[in-house]
């Protein structure tokens, strides 16, 4: 009797402890250790949010849903608009806008329409591990939609890019459902740049606002230099690992679904989550807008934290009354604009160097953060994780060799051959160790006195 009572109390206390941890868990904990974003890197996001909002307008010259402060767009620069009648259910409506002020060609895709069956079909067209792409897994329905858009607009985008002197950046943006389509669209373009006239990877950007989980972890980290995701506080969609069909089948009982998802994911080990290559995540680098604190009523001035998380990439669903309202594009645009103004004010107060120097330093930091995230994914044994460092070295060596062949004489070519020979010798590291070193009884490496010379 006493044993059974003890077991019951242990179970009750365990459940109470789990419930307390889940109810007191706040979304700001996910990005607590992330650095604060700079105003230079966050500046495009409010502007892109307004372009996405303009997709909902039937006529930009006479807007019906103007956000606070207006769209601040030139209606004459919206060169193409595609509605549901033209997409025939293959993709959400989208808008192509040329931003001459910032030298960008923006393809903006709207979010989920709750009254359109075609949008639901896109989300439901997926199963766990159904679609592979570039060594990882992606959402099947969203990939089909991205391919459809590219097949119909690649020639138009290529011609527009060439007519503007090939100097403009190609920007893909979307909200919710459209964010997933835009993310996969950028993946295709980066891997097939010839479809847009040979545009470089550095000229392609994607801004995924409140994105659905659409790609595996190795792809999310690999393309963090191209895709930038924006998440407002407690937004449920980037955090929900449950299949999307369960969400929309239970749309009228979303709190129950979120509770079940919390309960299930709490008892799944972190290693098991990371080892599953089919598990989808929010894409790219993440900008987390935080505006609420635990045990504090109301909102406070928002701050933007950014990072490329590998383990713990928004794994926990937050039980919050704002989980659905934080998903609205109108709120994200408003808070992103407030956060940008606050970042600029802080920058003016603390700046010590010219803005150009600060911008160059931050660009180097972004690249280093991306390399560190790739290395961490490899250390954690993420399936199919890879680093681009070797590819960059191969490209540099090939470019150097081609330049030497066309610009140097025979003596220069012979010296290049010697360097290549040395490079090949360095790659065979085990052979070099065997020739130069020997091991003693304690298995320590000692340099041999009569070691042969390695040419």
């Amino acid at each position: 009797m006493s044993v059974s009572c003890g077991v019951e109390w242990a179970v009750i206390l365990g459940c109470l402890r789990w419930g307390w941890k889940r109810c007191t868990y706040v979304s700001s904990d996910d990005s607590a250790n992330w650095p604060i974003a700079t105003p230079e890197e966050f500046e495009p996001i409010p502007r892109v949010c307004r372009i996405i909002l303009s997709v909902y307008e039937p006529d930009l010259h006479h807007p019906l849903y103007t956000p606070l402060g207006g769209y601040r767009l030139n209606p004459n620069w919206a060169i193409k608009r595609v509605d549901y009648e033209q997409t025939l259910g293959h993709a959400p409506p989208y808008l192509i806008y040329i931003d001459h002020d910032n030298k960008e060609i923006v393809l903006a895709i709207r979010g989920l329409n709750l009254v359109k069956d075609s949008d639901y079909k896109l989300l439901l067209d997926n199963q766990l591990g159904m679609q592979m792409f570039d060594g990882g897994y992606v959402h099947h329905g969203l990939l089909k939609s991205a391919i459809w858009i590219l097949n119909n607009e690649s020639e138009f985008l290529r011609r527009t890019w060439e007519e503007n002197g090939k100097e403009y950046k190609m920007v893909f943006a979307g909200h919710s459902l459209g964010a997933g389509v835009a993310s996969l669209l950028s993946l295709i373009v980066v891997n097939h740049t010839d479809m847009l006239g040979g545009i470089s990877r550095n000229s392609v950007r994607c801004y995924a606002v409140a994105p659905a989980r659409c790609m595996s972890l190795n792809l999310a980290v690999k393309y963090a230099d191209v895709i930038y995701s924006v998440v407002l506080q407690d937004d449920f969609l980037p955090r929900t690992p449950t299949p999307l069909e369960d969400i929309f089948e239970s749309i009228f009982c979303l709190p129950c679904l979120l509770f079940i998802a919390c309960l299930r994911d709490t008892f799944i080990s972190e290693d098991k989550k990371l080892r599953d290559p089919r598990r989808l995540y929010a894409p790219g680098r993440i900008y987390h807008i935080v505006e609420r604190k635990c045990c504090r009523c109301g909102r406070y001035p928002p701050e933007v934290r950014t990072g490329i998380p590998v383990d713990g990439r928004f794994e926990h669903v937050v039980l919050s009354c704002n989980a659905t309202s934080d998903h609205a594009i109108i709120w994200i645009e408003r808070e992103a604009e407030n956060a940008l103004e606050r970042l600029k004010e802080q920058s003016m107060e603390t700046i010590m160097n010219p803005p150009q120097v600060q911008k160059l330093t931050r660009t180097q930091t972004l690249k280093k953060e991306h390399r560190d995230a790739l290395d961490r994914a490899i250390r954690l044994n993420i399936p199919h994780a890879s680093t681009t460092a070797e590819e960059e070295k191969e490209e540099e060596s090939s470019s150097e060799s081609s330049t030497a062949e066309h610009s140097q004489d025979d003596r220069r070519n012979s010296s290049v051959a010697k360097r290549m020979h040395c490079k090949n010798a360095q790659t065979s590291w085990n052979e070099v160790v065997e020739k130069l070193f020997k091991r003693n009884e304690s298995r320590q490496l000692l340099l041999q006195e009569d070691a042969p010379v390695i040419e």
Side-chain angles (χ1 to χ4, degrees), residues 288-391:
H288 192 201
I289 304 175
V290 180
E291 59 178 359
R292 292 183 298 271
K293 292 183 178 180
C294 182
C295 301
R296 177 174 176 177
C297 297
R299 303 172 184 265
Y300 71 101
E303 64 179 12
V304 183
R305 307 169 185 172
T306 182
I308 310 176
V310 181
D311 47 338
R313 177 181 280 260
F314 283 175
E315 287 287 355
H316 302 289
V317 178
V318 180
L319 298 178
S320 169
C321 60
N322 300 292
T324 54
S325 62
D326 285 346
H327 186 69
I329 179 65
I330 188 69
W331 277 110
I332 297 175
E333 186 275 333
R334 187 177 304 175
E335 297 302 326
E337 184 67 28
N338 294 335
L340 178 61
E341 294 298 328
R342 187 166 183 262
L343 287 174
K344 290 181 178 179
E345 293 176 359
Q346 293 176 346
S347 178
M348 293 300 295
E349 294 175 357
T350 59
I351 190 170
M352 300 297 293
N353 297 318
Q356 292 81 2
V357 175
Q358 186 184 17
K359 185 176 182 180
L360 291 174
T361 303
R362 183 54 182 170
T363 302
Q364 294 174 358
T365 303
L366 290 175
K367 293 180 180 178
K368 184 177 184 301
E369 289 177 2
H370 189 207
R371 289 195 297 267
D372 292 343
L374 290 170
D375 294 339
R376 179 161 180 77
I378 295 175
R379 290 196 302 270
L380 291 174
N381 296 323
I382 304 299
H384 311 297
S386 62
T387 177
T388 58
E390 296 180 356
E391 299 177 358

Side-chain angles (χ1 to χ4, degrees), residues 328-451:
I329 179 65
I330 188 69
W331 277 110
I332 297 175
E333 186 275 333
R334 187 177 304 175
E335 297 302 326
E337 184 67 28
N338 294 335
L340 178 61
E341 294 298 328
R342 187 166 183 262
L343 287 174
K344 290 181 178 179
E345 293 176 359
Q346 293 176 346
S347 178
M348 293 300 295
E349 294 175 357
T350 59
I351 190 170
M352 300 297 293
N353 297 318
Q356 292 81 2
V357 175
Q358 186 184 17
K359 185 176 182 180
L360 291 174
T361 303
R362 183 54 182 170
T363 302
Q364 294 174 358
T365 303
L366 290 175
K367 293 180 180 178
K368 184 177 184 301
E369 289 177 2
H370 189 207
R371 289 195 297 267
D372 292 343
L374 290 170
D375 294 339
R376 179 161 180 77
I378 295 175
R379 290 196 302 270
L380 291 174
N381 296 323
I382 304 299
H384 311 297
S386 62
T387 177
T388 58
E390 296 180 356
E391 299 177 358
E392 293 177 355
K393 289 181 180 179
E394 292 178 357
E395 292 178 357
E396 292 177 358
S397 62
S398 62
S399 62
E400 289 178 359
S401 61
S402 61
T403 303
E405 290 176 358
H406 291 87
S407 62
Q408 303 297 332
D409 54 8
D410 295 339
R411 185 180 61 178
R412 181 63 176 171
N413 290 335
S414 62
S415 64
V416 172
K418 289 182 179 179
R419 287 199 302 270
M420 295 301 296
H421 176 73
C422 294
K423 180 179 180 181
N424 294 332
Q426 291 177 359
T427 58
S428 181
W429 180 248
N430 292 331
E431 295 178 3
V432 175
V433 172
E434 291 177 359
K435 293 180 179 180
L436 295 180
F437 296 88
K438 63 181 180 180
R439 295 184 181 273
N440 57 11
E441 297 179 355
S442 60
R443 306 297 296 170
Q444 295 179 353
L445 290 175
L446 299 177
L447 181 65
Q448 299 182 14
E449 296 179 355
D450 56 348

